[in-house]
Amino acid sequence: MSGSPPVLIWEHEVERLLQYRELIPRLEEALGKFSKRDSAEVIQPVRSTVPLQKHDGFLGLMPTYMENDGVLSTKLVCFYNRKAGSSLPGVQATVVLLDPEYGNVKAVIDGEVITAMRTAAVSAISAKLLMHPEAEVLAILGTGKQALSHYNVFTEIFPFKEVRVWGRTREGAERFVRSVGGAARACGSAEEAVRGADVIVTVTGSTKPVLFGQWVKPGAHVAAVGACRPDWREMDDVLMKEAVVYADSREGAIAESGDVVLSGAEVFAELGDVINGTKPALREKTTVFKSLGMGVEDAVSAKLVFDQWKATAIHL
């Protein structure tokens, strides 16, 4: 109803309402729909950004319309290149869910948990599709919120025997290990974490490469989440040119990913192409999934949160 005030759903509520077992299949379906380029399924422009030069950051706007599903949303996300040791957040996000017929705002949803969980879930989908089926060792480069969400979903759905973690400081890596109950090993260098790993997740705030191709085991899968600007890097040219590169959005990767832009690497396929069966999953090769994040991922996540909230509210 156009006259109803918008619902405000805060971070702790999103944490309660959003579960990976329900989120992952919805995201897989959404990735497949996006890659069909059917305007009745998904309309999603490449993220537009406004530079926040004084604060070394950007405001990103991520609108999406899913006509067949009746979902209209946009995410507003601020992301920053913070200095080591900064107490300020690197990312802040809000998702707005609208009624596509009336145009009114139905819900304003804290975007922190949605961003962390949908990003990690899509990385896990990439691993399900592209990693070696007998993968045993997971390496995570980074120790922030995204590192934790990736640790949570990867250990929930895959039977890794060893998890290694590296951060910009040894203290940060050890703090991360304590936060997950000691079920990971803090490494003194990125190379130590990566050597011999079957799956590597890069979730850093770095603007220069932290992952080098000479360290990466042939046939490993890399889910690369950081470096979301065309002049930021997490991976070197050797890795980008030797690996088969997949992306969530080909247009997004070509416009926004410094790892793709500066290396000149070709994007072989979108994850949705693999899901739809139009491009192969080359598990036997070294693969890189370049994640930029998409509005459609936020849209289906926000709809799930809102639907769960409504179902809960009915029973109160």
Side-chain angles (χ1 to χ4, degrees), residues 50-59 77-84 86 88-91 168 205-208 228-229 231-232:
V50 177
L52 309 174
Q53 292 180 333
K54 179 179 178 181
H55 306 290
D56 201 7
F58 294 86
L59 165 65
V77 55
C78 290
F79 46 99
Y80 302 89
N81 180 22
R82 301 295 193 196
K83 290 182 170 57
S86 172
L88 296 174
V91 180
R168 285 188 287 186
S206 182
T207 59
K208 301 284 193 303
C228 59
R229 296 298 301 154
D231 56 347
W232 295 3

Side-chain angles (χ1 to χ4, degrees), residues 137-143 151 155 161-167 170 172-178 180-197:
V137 179
L138 170 66
I140 299 174
L141 306 186
T143 59
Y151 173 88
T155 56
K161 294 182 179 178
E162 182 183 1
V163 181
R164 307 170 187 165
V165 178
W166 170 83
R170 181 78 187 201
E174 290 173 348
R175 186 167 57 248
F176 181 92
V177 169
R178 289 194 299 272
V180 298
R185 177 166 68 86
C187 295
S189 69
E191 181 177 3
E192 180 189 345
V194 164
R195 288 278 187 188

